[in-house]
Amino acid sequence: MTSVGEALVVELENRGVSCVFGIPGVHTIELYRVLATSSIRHVTPRHEQGAGFMADGYARVSGKPGVAFVITGPGLTNTLTAMGQARADSVPMLVVSGVNALPSLGNGLGHLHELPDQQGLARKVALVSERVETPKGLSHAINSAFGAFQSGRPGPVHIEIPLDVAGQDISQTTPAPAPETVRELDTRQIALAADLLATARSPVLLAGGGARTAALALRDLAERLDAPVVQTVNARGVLYAHPLGVPASPSLGAVRDLIDAADVVLAIGTELGPTDYDMYASGTMPKLNTLIRIDLCPDQLTRHPAEVPILGDATDALTALNTHLGGNGFDRNGATRADQARSAAFDEIGSDMQALNAVLNIIRDTIPAAIIVGDSAQPIYAGNLFYDHDRPGGWFNAATGFGALGYGIPAAIGAAMADPTAPVICLTGDGGAQFSLPELMCAVDENLPITFVIWNNYGYQEIATSMLDAGVTVVGCDPTPPDFEHVARSCGMPFWRCDPGNIARSLRAARDVSGPTLIEIQAPNSAHPL
């Protein structure tokens, strides 16, 4: 006999899943029956929200869906926040949950972990939510979930298995997954876009998160067109230290001026959302003259209509544009335009943000090619405004899009699980760290070489500043942080405390440790200076 729960694990193996983040419970025991003897590694977070954030970080680094196993009711609701972040940032995530027995659903009988409509709740956030109501239904649910990862813009998907179905015998093997379909590019749209770019006088490229795996093709096109490349938060690193790179927020006036002056704008894998393009909530967007868009999602292409919409993968579309343009090269004064935008943008962010940017540069230069995973902390805000990272896909955080606090620590754990060879640095504030501090022990359990860096300004300083700017008396922004040295000691982790100027010394010391480490940076002008 093979149960539905056992068959699910086997099918995940068949689809290349090698790691699952989860907390077992009485409603998911059947999912664990063969997990220990499978090739899948199980990682136990301390909270289901952590499981979701770990799956998110894992997916961003591995390029494969991150998978979380959670229990019925509170297990799923705890994971919904992480699913919201994944939905906002187009991160492929599979959440498998239990649910109460089929006859009880929707009847309000007071069963353990009961919700009025668990699947209805999941459907509000997930791209797809499937319930396995019979053993034969498992195949459909898995195909539907993984099909959502392959058919367009990725995001979170959900499968729930009722308590009375999980242990039932499945009489037939789940069919092998259908081969991934390759979306054919519209060659007419490619030709039209190439012609517009070839005849443009001052083109500008906008790179979003969808371009982070297309760095080489993007660089080739930018150099061929001699066009500046503005990088949103999730695209940082695609043109590190390149004369055409503009690693600055398109919300900044200097960057908007660059975009406004373009006669043709090519937007690649970016939703043109306000957390990137209107960070200051002015209600305005940069001008997008003669807009060409490349995106996987047909719905996304209709939200900001373009003269030339191209439906498809960024690498494929950029490669096709390069091929169509051939050996032609252009002189559009691109490097000068990019340099002027960079210099003006850096001046625009002001001395406080410039100082924080200097800290980020020290971190990058001390630990090259690191994956820096951030929470909503002041250095992260500064970096999202202006920061050039040295690794495509190596700078990501939760301070844009859904904006979930507590993301950094567990997402860094997922990132380290995805690439054990990469140095991983988690950069979080003392406030955000307290949302998910127990997850440090998960990093200890897995002996992951993560350097957790806590920017300690003893409260929610960014929110306090916003309240003062709005003329509101500051309330609720001074939660007392724990003694992080004692936290590290209780976790068995090496600890260093420093000011921003001495971070390099602490990072080098942490680099020589095989497991997780903790560094506390005492922020300047904090309530408790060194």
Side-chain angles (χ1 to χ4, degrees):
M1 169 182 168
T2 299
S3 72
V4 170
E6 291 174 306
L8 171 73
V9 171
V10 171
E11 187 55 31
L12 292 179
E13 280 187 296
N14 292 340
R15 292 174 184 261
V17 174
S18 57
C19 184
V20 165
F21 305 93
I23 301 176
V26 294
H27 284 186
T28 56
I29 286 176
E30 198 60 44
L31 303 184
Y32 286 79
R33 185 173 295 279
V34 296
L35 194 60
T37 56
S38 75
S39 62
I40 297 175
R41 184 174 181 177
H42 184 273
V43 177
T44 307
R46 297 328 191 239
H47 191 279
E48 288 94 355
Q49 181 173 283
F53 286 147
M54 289 177 194
D56 177 301
Y58 180 91
R60 295 195 200 219
V61 173
S62 70
K64 302 189 299 183
V67 182
F69 282 1
V70 299
I71 64 164
T72 309
L76 179 67
T77 56
N78 285 341
T79 313
L80 283 173
T81 295
M83 292 171 68
Q85 187 70 48
R87 180 72 181 254
D89 285 348
S90 304
V91 176
M93 175 191 298
L94 170 61
V95 176
V96 181
S97 77
V99 72
N100 285 306
L102 280 170
S104 73
L105 297 183
N107 293 324
L109 301 175
H111 287 281
L112 180 67
H113 305 325
E114 185 175 27
L115 283 168
D117 183 1
Q118 178 175 289
Q119 188 178 32
L121 187 62
R123 279 176 171 161
K124 296 294 184 182
V125 182
L127 298 176
V128 171
S129 177
E130 297 286 352
R131 178 186 297 152
V132 181
E133 297 191 352
T134 67
K136 291 183 179 180
L138 179 64
S139 174
H140 168 78
I142 293 175
N143 287 334
S144 175
F146 279 84
F149 299 139
Q150 300 171 353
S151 61
R153 186 183 185 194
V157 300
H158 170 243
I159 295 174
E160 65 178 18
I161 304 180
L163 190 60
D164 56 337
V165 175
Q168 288 184 24
D169 181 25
I170 187 165
S171 56
Q172 61 184 28
T173 304
T174 305
E180 183 176 350
T181 57
V182 178
R183 187 187 300 277
E184 294 291 336
L185 293 170
D186 187 329
T187 55
R188 294 169 300 176
Q189 296 294 82
I190 291 292
L192 180 56
D195 290 343
L196 287 171
L197 291 167
T199 57
R201 297 182 307 277
S202 55
V204 167
L205 311 185
L206 306 179
R212 67 185 181 275
T213 58
L216 292 178
L218 176 62
R219 184 196 63 196
D220 289 347
L221 182 63
E223 291 174 349
R224 181 171 279 113
L225 296 173
D226 193 23
V229 181
V230 177
Q231 300 148 54
T232 65
V233 170
N234 286 323
R236 299 294 171 80
V238 294
L239 251 72
Y240 172 61
H242 195 287
L244 294 171
V246 183
S249 171
S251 295
L252 294 170
V255 183
R256 286 189 169 200
D257 289 344
L258 172 70
I259 299 170
D260 290 349
D263 58 340
V264 177
V265 175
L266 170 60
I268 308 135
T270 174
E271 66 179 354
L272 301 171
T275 58
D276 274 312
Y277 291 84
D278 187 23
M279 192 180 295
Y280 299 112
S282 66
T284 62
M285 291 278 287
K287 294 178 184 177
L288 302 170
N289 299 312
T290 314
L291 178 62
I292 304 167
R293 293 193 68 189
I294 298 171
D295 205 281
L296 278 172
C297 178
D299 293 337
Q300 186 58 243
L301 289 174
T302 65
R303 290 174 187 141
H304 292 279
E307 280 82 352
V308 184
I310 298 172
L311 182 64
D313 173 76
T315 300
D316 293 342
L318 292 173
T319 301
L321 286 172
N322 280 317
T323 300
H324 198 280
L325 289 165
N328 294 327
F330 304 90
D331 183 3
R332 273 81 173 264
N333 207 26
T336 299
R337 289 188 290 141
D339 182 63
Q340 290 172 344
R342 285 194 304 268
S343 298
F346 189 71
D347 290 342
E348 186 178 338
I349 67 175
S351 58
D352 289 345
M353 291 297 181
Q354 289 170 0
L356 291 168
N357 193 265
V359 174
L360 296 175
N361 290 340
I362 291 171
I363 293 173
R364 178 198 62 210
D365 297 343
T366 305
I367 311 293
I371 298 169
I372 300 181
V373 184
D375 218 309
S376 294
Q378 286 185 315
I380 296 298
Y381 293 135
N384 286 349
L385 281 174
F386 191 106
Y387 171 66
D388 197 9
H389 196 54
D390 62 350
R391 175 184 178 129
W395 169 270
F396 58 88
N397 55 77
T400 62
F402 197 55
L405 271 171
Y407 173 87
I409 292 175
I413 291 170
M417 292 296 304
D419 186 354
T421 66
V424 176
I425 297 171
C426 170
L427 184 52
T428 180
D430 58 294
Q434 291 183 79
F435 276 59
S436 51
L437 207 56
E439 303 299 357
L440 291 174
M441 283 306 299
C442 180
V444 172
D445 284 350
E446 301 297 329
N447 194 36
L448 299 174
I450 304 171
T451 302
F452 296 98
V453 179
I454 297 178
W455 181 265
N456 192 355
N457 56 22
Y458 294 85
Y460 303 137
Q461 188 170 323
E462 192 72 21
I463 303 303
T465 300
S466 297
M467 294 175 79
L468 289 171
D469 290 345
V472 175
T473 301
V474 177
V475 175
C477 293
D478 57 352
T480 302
D483 184 321
F484 289 108
E485 181 175 8
H486 289 171
V487 169
R489 186 178 302 166
S490 70
C491 296
M493 295 168 56
F495 173 83
W496 295 267
R497 180 182 287 120
C498 63
D499 61 36
N502 294 324
I503 180 65
R505 183 185 307 165
S506 298
L507 286 169
R508 284 192 291 267
R511 184 181 55 192
D512 295 333
V513 176
S514 61
T517 56
L518 181 63
I519 297 173
E520 177 188 354
I521 302 177
Q522 291 271 354
N525 304 317
S526 63
H528 297 269
L530 283 172

